[in-house]
């Protein structure tokens, strides 16, 4: 990277301001954060650079908003926070971003000296190391050149490697030090390549010859625009397919060869055992994808992933292909015939899906019908952000999304409080398009204060709040473990009145028709609408 001394001369500004100008030159138009006495210099140049700043009510919310923004755009999100507790408050959200492969750049201030001084405001033992526990990397910039290098390193890695959050911290005094602007964007940053899979002719022949080939499509393909390619491969191979939760929407809802998002059903093992070739693309096949340790296949397993760590995991693929999933499918498709007859029994697949849905409904009664009603009233381009709640656990399986990359859930790390701030970030990125939050009564209260941000921004954001008055999933788990339910019921507020106190709208529909009407009104409102849903809505 060219040093700032070799770059064309520009306006001298404090480094904090130069970082904002640099981000703007790299395409950043929105930053989420909270100013504090230790990062005020980071705020000096935001408006001058032409960047929009979204004020969160808590640093965790700011990082979740950056996550939601990144998922909505397919790019990356940026948040600004202060030293010590400010950064620590983001770590839950950054951990979620790491678990779900989301590109977030967290930039914080840090104290100038910690080894020889004690008792400073926001002081902690090792701030840089704390962030390193949940980020791809965490580094301190000790000069302007180092800060510029780290920003460009993060953005380059976002574009070329598996998405992960990064943290960069800058000493307070350095943020206020006048310096030259950042150098021009490194050449080629906007023209990155993809890991190509090489010759796939033999695999294509094996796929064509297979009697019951099966694909598993994961979140690595879960971006809107990849559906056509995935569906073309299905049509040309005659294979059946599952998606992981993160890959929902890749398969057509009416595809007779689609098993949908039911990979986590225990009896999907039986289906996998019937396949004579399994090809998993862009998925970790993690515990949170399968809810078991073994995939269940008895045949050849092909793994395709951009992350080499995935290719050497406990599933022990017979063929491991280190490649971008889209590049793999494009190359594979070129070797396949124009079409192939379906190789699985469509009636069997339909019957299996119906049984899976019935199991889901039996475990958490009534929610599946509620999902059907909401799906029928939802715009096709709606993007949904859900929280850790029984409603979402059902919906992730039974709700056939028409588009990929339009349902975001805190899989893996499993953070409560994700949905509302992430949906705000998504709504900021998707101005004019439908964005929805789904939360449970308990998890919603983790980040309920971010309602203030949604009201402040005037976001037409429907907030579907599932209120069963308890930690029902935990209660069910205790009962299943023969433990008397304990600490699973908490005093809830009047959520509608609370939303109105923030300046939001609220509705409490008493029927499915009223629920659909409330959702339609919420999309047209001048601010967020809390739609209060209770189990009474699911009563037959």
């Amino acid at each position: 990277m060219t040093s700032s001394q070799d770059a064309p001369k520009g306006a001298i500004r404090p480094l904090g301001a130069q970082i904002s100008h640099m981000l703007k030159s790299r395409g950043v138009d929105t930053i989420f954060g909270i100013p504090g006495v230790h990062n005020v210099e980071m705020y000096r140049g935001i408006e001058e650079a032409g960047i929009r700043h979204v004020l969160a009510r808590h640093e965790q919310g700011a990082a979740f908003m950056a996550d939601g923004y990144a998922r909505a755009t397919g790019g990356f999100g940026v948040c600004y926070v202060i030293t010590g507790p400010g950064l620590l408050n983001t770590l839950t959200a950054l951990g979620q971003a790491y678990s779900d492969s989301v590109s977030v750049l967290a930039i914080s201030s840090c104290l100038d000296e910690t080894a020889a001084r004690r008792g400073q405001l926001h002081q902690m033992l090792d701030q840089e190391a704390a962030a390193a526990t949940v980020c791809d990397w965490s580094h301190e910039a000790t000069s302007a050149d180092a800060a510029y290098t780290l920003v460009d390193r993060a953005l380059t890695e976002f574009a070329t490697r598996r998405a992960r959050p990064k943290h960069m911290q800058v000493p307070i005094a350095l943020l206020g030090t006048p310096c030259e602007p950042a150098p021009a964007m490194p050449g080629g940053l906007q023209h990155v390549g993809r890991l190509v899979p090489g010759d796939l002719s033999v695999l294509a022949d094996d796929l064509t010859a297979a009697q019951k080939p099966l694909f598993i499509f994961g979140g690595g393909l879960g971006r809107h625009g990849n559906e056509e390619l995935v569906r073309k491969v299905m049509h040309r191979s005659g294979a059946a397919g599952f998606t992981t939760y993160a890959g929902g929407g890749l398969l057509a809802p009416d595809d007779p060869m689609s098993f949908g998002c039911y990979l986590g059903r225990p009896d999907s093992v039986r289906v996998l055992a019937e396949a004579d070739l399994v090809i998993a693309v862009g998925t970790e096949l993690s515990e949170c994808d399968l809810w078991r340790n073994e995939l269940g296949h008895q045949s050849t397993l092909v793994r395709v992933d951009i992350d080499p760590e995935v290719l050497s995991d406990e599933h022990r693929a017979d063929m491991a292909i280190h490649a971008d999933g889209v590049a793999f499918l494009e190359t594979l498709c070129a070797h396949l015939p124009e079409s192939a007859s379906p190789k699985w029994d469509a009636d069997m697949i339909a019957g299996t899906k119906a049984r899976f849905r019935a199991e889901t409904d039996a475990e958490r009664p009534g929610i599946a019908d509620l999902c059907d009603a909401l799906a029928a009233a939802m715009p096709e381009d709606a993007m949904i952000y859900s929280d850790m709640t029984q409603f979402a656990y059902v919906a992730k399986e039974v709700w056939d999304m028409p588009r990929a990359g339009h349902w975001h859930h805190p899989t893996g790390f499993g953070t409560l409080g994700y949905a509302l701030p992430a949906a705000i970030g998504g709504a900021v990125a998707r101005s004019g398009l439908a964005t929805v939050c789904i939360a449970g009564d308990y998890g919603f209260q983790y980040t309920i204060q971010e309602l203030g941000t949604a009201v402040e921004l005037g976001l037409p954001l429907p907030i579907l709040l599932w209120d069963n008055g308890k930690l029902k999933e935990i209660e069910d788990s205790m009962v299943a473990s023969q433990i008397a339910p304990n600490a699973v019921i908490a005093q809830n507020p009047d959520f509608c009145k609370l939303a109105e106190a923030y300046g939001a709208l609220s509705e409490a529909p008493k029927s499915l028709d009223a629920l659909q009407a409330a959702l339609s009104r919420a999309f047209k409102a001048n601010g967020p609408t809390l739609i209060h849903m209770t189990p009474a809505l699911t009563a037959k």
Side-chain angles (χ1 to χ4, degrees), residues 191-491:
H191 305 283
V192 297
R194 292 184 293 172
L195 287 173
V196 294
D199 184 10
L200 296 180
S201 57
V202 173
L203 178 60
D205 289 343
D206 291 343
L207 177 58
T208 301
Q211 295 181 355
K212 279 192 169 183
L214 181 71
F215 279 97
I216 301 173
F217 300 109
L221 295 167
R223 296 284 184 268
H224 179 46
N226 291 339
E227 306 96 326
E228 182 179 353
L229 177 59
V230 166
R231 296 170 189 182
K232 183 188 293 185
V233 169
M234 292 284 287
H235 176 71
R236 292 189 174 190
S237 65
F242 280 97
T243 69
T244 65
Y245 302 131
L250 285 167
L251 296 174
D254 60 353
D255 186 345
M257 291 294 101
S258 171
F259 284 98
C261 291
Y262 289 110
L263 185 64
R265 286 282 107 197
D267 200 38
S268 68
V269 169
R270 178 185 58 78
V271 176
L272 286 152
E274 288 187 31
D276 56 356
L277 174 64
V278 178
I279 304 177
V281 187
T283 172
E284 290 181 318
L285 297 178
S286 70
E287 178 187 63
C288 298
D289 293 319
L290 305 174
W291 298 117
R292 55 182 182 268
N293 293 327
E294 302 294 331
L295 179 58
H297 64 292
Q298 303 295 321
S299 60
T300 298
L301 173 63
V302 178
R303 297 289 298 277
V304 183
D305 209 279
I306 197 173
D307 186 348
E309 182 180 347
V310 170
L311 301 176
S312 58
D313 65 12
E314 67 273 15
H315 297 297
R316 297 299 177 189
D318 299 284
M319 179 185 293
I321 300 176
H322 186 210
D324 174 87
V326 172
F328 167 80
L329 292 179
E330 288 173 342
T331 305
L332 179 65
C333 201
H335 291 287
L336 297 175
E338 287 298 316
S339 65
S341 298
K343 296 181 177 180
W344 290 68
D345 184 280
D347 290 338
M348 183 278 286
I349 293 176
T352 300
K353 289 179 69 176
R355 180 161 48 82
F356 286 162
R357 178 189 167 101
E359 291 173 1
T360 303
D361 191 42
E363 291 167 359
R364 303 176 180 101
I367 296 176
D369 290 341
L370 191 55
C371 291
D372 291 344
L374 287 168
M378 200 73 66
E380 186 174 315
D381 65 353
M383 183 169 285
I384 299 171
Y385 292 82
S386 59
D387 219 312
M388 299 295 286
T389 170
Q390 285 195 326
F391 186 98
Y393 305 154
V394 173
K396 287 190 303 171
E397 293 190 291
V398 307
W399 195 317
D400 275 323
M401 292 294 287
R403 299 184 180 189
H406 277 60
W407 190 300
H408 305 294
H409 184 78
T411 308
F413 209 44
T415 60
L416 285 163
Y418 168 81
L420 177 59
I424 291 171
V428 168
R430 289 166 45 84
S431 179
L433 299 175
T435 305
V436 181
C437 165
I438 295 176
D441 57 301
Y442 200 84
F444 184 58
Q445 295 181 76
Y446 275 49
T447 52
I448 195 171
Q449 68 275 1
E450 303 306 340
L451 263 175
T453 299
V455 170
E456 196 169 79
L457 297 175
L459 300 175
L461 178 67
I463 301 166
L464 296 167
L465 181 66
W466 175 244
D467 182 5
N468 55 19
K470 60 177 67 175
L471 289 162
K472 187 66 167 64
E473 188 72 8
I474 310 308
E475 181 183 67
D476 291 348
S477 177
M478 287 180 169
V479 171
S481 301
Q482 298 185 341
I483 298 171
N486 181 32
V488 294
I489 299 177
Q491 177 64 45

Side-chain angles (χ1 to χ4, degrees), residues 66-74 96-97 100 102 383 385 405 408-410 418:
D67 172 299
Y69 182 93
R71 297 194 200 211
T73 61
Q96 187 62 61
D100 282 354
V102 181
M383 183 169 285
Y385 292 82
H408 305 294
H409 184 78
Y418 168 81

